[in-house]
Amino acid sequence: LLADLSLSTDAHANDRQRVIEVIRDALYVFGEALAGSGDAFSVLGFSSIKRQLRLHELKGFDEPWGPATLARLGALKPGYYTRMGAALRAGTRRLSQRPERQRLLLLLTDGKPHDLDGYDGRIGMEDTRQAVLEARRAGLLPFALTIDADAAQVMPLLFGSTGGQRGQGGWAQVRRPEDLP
């Protein structure tokens, strides 16, 4: 599970919560559900600055879901930018080493690829699309959950879509951010 922790997550999602709080709540719900299922899972937060990806290991595959993980979730803070392609590649490398037959690479985000060094617009989108294709070639199932209001213009280009229908393919939009958890 990859969580976007870029500066845009400091914005308000609604009258009561910032985006980072919605993401934190969603990570908690996912973690509780996955821990209850007994499936191995990892949770990483990410942000970037220029070509430097900042990964925050919130829970490792071999680590139990417990107080240490919850403390790291509680300490999440927004920072820097959103180099999605690099984060997806880092997740792909980690998941490719796992023995499980079914491996899901789930991305939680509030936006689109963006960084200071021109990793924006077409360049950021193409790099992210390429990282999604690389993940699929590695036998993973990449999927994005987004609360971005403009998701229908961006996500099909990055994660694919079947017949142009929103939510089909490798992504889904959560229209009300507070519904993400």
Side-chain angles (χ1 to χ4, degrees):
L1 179 58
L2 291 171
D4 177 349
L5 303 179
S6 62
L7 284 171
S8 63
T9 65
D10 200 27
H12 279 83
N14 56 39
D15 294 344
R16 300 176 321 276
Q17 295 176 296
R18 293 178 306 144
V19 172
I20 191 74
E21 293 162 347
V22 171
I23 287 175
R24 183 181 301 126
D25 291 349
L27 292 175
Y28 175 78
V29 170
F30 275 114
E32 287 290 318
L34 290 169
S37 77
D39 289 339
F41 70 101
S42 173
V43 181
L44 298 171
F46 76 93
S47 62
S48 64
I49 186 154
K50 298 190 178 178
R51 293 184 172 259
Q52 183 181 355
L53 178 67
R54 298 166 46 101
L55 281 178
H56 308 276
E57 187 152 3
L58 303 171
K59 185 206 169 292
F61 280 109
D62 298 324
E63 180 181 8
W65 180 257
T69 303
L70 296 176
R72 287 190 292 270
L73 286 180
L76 289 179
K77 291 184 179 10
Y80 304 109
Y81 302 95
T82 316
R83 202 171 204 93
M84 275 186 204
L88 288 166
R89 285 184 184 92
T92 296
R93 280 191 299 278
R94 287 175 182 232
L95 273 175
S96 292
Q97 298 171 1
R98 298 295 303 174
E100 291 81 8
R101 188 177 56 83
Q102 189 94 5
R103 295 165 294 167
L104 174 65
L105 178 58
L106 183 61
L107 171 71
L108 298 179
T109 185
D110 68 332
K112 53 188 168 278
H114 173 72
D115 206 330
L116 288 177
D117 59 353
Y119 188 87
D120 205 356
R122 185 173 178 179
I123 291 172
M125 301 226 335
E126 183 57 30
D127 181 59
T128 301
R129 187 182 73 77
Q130 197 60 40
V132 168
L133 294 174
E134 291 166 15
R136 288 182 179 141
R137 280 194 296 269
L140 308 181
L141 299 169
F143 192 88
L145 281 175
T146 181
I147 60 172
D148 183 11
D150 297 324
Q153 286 78 42
V154 176
M155 288 297 154
L157 302 172
L158 305 178
F159 287 86
S161 176
T162 306
Q165 296 294 317
R166 189 174 330 120
Q168 292 184 357
W171 67 280
Q173 179 184 24
V174 178
R175 293 193 184 278
R176 295 177 351 137
E178 61 271 18
D179 290 343
L180 180 59

